Amino acid sequence: MKEQENALAAKNREKRAKRKTSPKKPEKLVAELKLIEPEPETRAKPMDEILWKAAGKTNRPFHKLRLVVSINGEIRQKTPLDPMYWQGKGKFNVDEAFALDEFDVAPFDLVSYHLEGVSRLNPRSPEVTIYSPPQFIEVRPFREDAMFGIMEGSG
């Protein structure tokens, strides 16, 4: 009986030793950011407020998360988002807004915006930046219907 117990204990020690010496698979950073609303391509007037929603998930916490807004390809603002939305790991949702008049847009400008998150696999690893796909807003004139009427009547 004791021999069986000793044999079993020796076998268990071997298994533990193999587990300790076998290399661990390196953990990968899994992170995703996406803008949900409004539609990826939309139109708005220069004074409109853009209500936007985003979702994300990560297996490591983000250290920074911000909304980047560009006008005609030029970055105008990088706005840090409140950590209450995204602290910790797992899934999160963001529900925010920005006003186009903050950027002095003019009719026919093209506004693009995306999320930018910074994370790292562990404290010693380099930072990794994750981007959401961009969304676009075509700035239309205040009275688009009046402009079409003028263009139609001038022919």
Side-chain angles (χ1 to χ4, degrees):
M1 190 73 150
K2 277 208 175 216
E3 288 177 21
Q4 287 178 341
E5 288 177 7
N6 287 339
L8 185 59
K11 202 175 198 180
N12 286 336
R13 280 193 299 273
E14 283 179 34
K15 284 182 183 177
R16 277 183 288 206
K18 282 182 183 178
R19 274 189 249 146
K20 287 181 182 177
T21 58
S22 62
K24 283 186 175 181
K25 291 182 182 177
E27 188 177 5
K28 294 182 180 179
L29 175 65
V30 177
E32 181 182 340
L33 294 171
K34 62 182 175 181
L35 291 158
I36 300 168
E37 289 182 14
E39 295 294 319
E41 296 179 18
T42 188
R43 300 173 82 194
K45 295 178 183 167
M47 300 299 282
D48 285 352
E49 182 176 57
I50 306 301
L51 304 173
W52 60 274
K53 292 182 181 182
K57 65 180 177 181
T58 181
N59 66 339
R60 292 284 175 212
F62 283 106
H63 302 291
K64 298 175 194 167
L65 186 63
R66 56 190 170 205
L67 179 72
V68 180
V69 179
S70 300
I71 311 298
N72 299 324
E74 177 188 323
I75 293 176
R76 291 282 181 93
Q77 190 174 59
K78 291 185 176 188
T79 306
L81 300 179
D82 192 330
M84 74 172 195
Y85 288 122
W86 51 271
Q87 274 187 332
K89 54 186 175 180
K91 295 181 179 183
F92 60 89
N93 293 308
V94 178
D95 194 351
E96 284 286 333
F98 64 88
L100 288 176
D101 64 350
E102 292 177 33
F103 304 103
D104 296 323
V105 295
F108 307 108
D109 279 347
L110 182 65
V111 178
S112 64
Y113 59 101
H114 66 272
L115 290 177
E116 187 176 275
V118 177
S119 186
R120 54 179 65 183
L121 187 56
N122 63 53
R124 290 169 290 168
S125 66
E127 289 186 338
V128 177
T129 303
I130 295 94
Y131 301 93
S132 71
Q135 305 265 55
F136 300 94
I137 302 166
E138 178 188 347
V139 181
R140 61 183 186 182
F142 285 106
R143 297 218 35 224
E144 194 169 16
D145 56 333
M147 286 191 64
F148 284 121
I150 292 169
M151 288 176 14
E152 288 173 3
S154 64

